[in-house]
Amino acid sequence: MPLHVPPAPAPALRSVLTALASPTAVREARTPSLLRAQGPVTPELPLPVHVLDGTATRLTGWRFLIRCGDRSVAAAETMLTPDGWAFSHFFEGPYIASTERALRQAEVMQQPYQPRLLSIPGLYMLALWLHGDCEADAGTGRLAATDLLVPLAPAPPGIAAHRPHRAAELLPVLAHRVTPAPLLGSPA
């Protein structure tokens, strides 16, 4: 079944296109693969980025894979500001190839899904969130027990990257591994 990739907000896409057209933004990004890109680069595969706070999720941005030719060379992230969507930064690294791999895995699943990214800051973990409601607003929605989470590489020790897990099965494991930060002034 094909994935139902939600459209990104038009201002988010415009902010990335503007940044890509800016020699200053690209040069200051410190992403060597973007600087070395030969030919036109295009933002593709917009994915909403949600952060897991306890059991709730909140939208924090949209991530676009930046393609040059037949491969992704970087990613661009946008963020929501009081004035609307704005370009945040370019980056590269292992999560780009890992995201592409997880999306290819999801494309061949029997059930259709809406792809999202889920950040779990307490574990320095990123997962592809395959939401079962393809018609849902990509900026909202709760993590359903039947949704799938595919940890991206590098995953935390003991969590297999690229292995789909039902949210109801993986979230309790993650909750036990996340330790709250100590309060200032409290003994360590």
Side-chain angles (χ1 to χ4, degrees):
M1 288 279 171
L3 293 175
H4 295 269
V5 179
L13 176 57
R14 275 194 305 273
S15 73
V16 170
L17 290 170
T18 300
L20 283 170
S22 166
T24 303
V26 171
R27 190 174 45 254
E28 290 179 0
R30 293 190 174 93
T31 51
S33 59
L34 186 57
L35 289 168
R36 289 190 307 265
Q38 299 290 319
V41 291
T42 56
E44 296 181 359
L45 286 169
L47 295 172
V49 180
H50 294 258
V51 171
L52 184 64
D53 285 329
T55 59
T57 63
R58 63 180 165 79
L59 179 69
T60 59
W62 282 79
R63 182 172 295 174
F64 297 78
L65 295 180
I66 306 299
R67 294 190 66 79
C68 181
D70 63 347
R71 66 185 196 93
S72 293
V73 295
E77 190 128 341
T78 63
M79 63 183 175
L80 190 57
T81 70
D83 295 326
W85 289 102
F87 171 75
S88 175
H89 61 281
F90 291 115
F91 64 94
E92 59 184 61
Y95 283 131
I96 295 167
S98 187
T99 299
E100 287 185 307
R101 178 179 170 187
L103 287 166
R104 281 192 306 273
Q105 284 179 280
E107 277 286 339
V108 297
M109 293 181 174
Q110 295 298 321
Q111 180 177 341
Y113 289 102
Q114 182 189 82
R116 303 171 176 196
L117 291 172
L118 184 65
S119 173
I120 301 111
L123 293 175
Y124 300 99
M125 180 178 166
L126 187 64
L128 179 65
W129 170 10
L130 298 172
H131 191 53
D133 182 359
C134 295
E135 303 304 316
D137 177 353
T140 61
R142 300 186 56 84
L143 189 58
T146 56
D147 286 351
L148 293 181
L149 296 175
V150 182
L152 299 181
I159 296 175
H162 297 288
R163 183 170 167 249
H165 302 270
R166 294 246 177 254
E169 298 164 0
L170 186 59
L171 288 178
V173 172
L174 298 179
H176 287 296
R177 297 188 71 179
V178 174
T179 56
L183 298 174
L184 290 176
S186 63

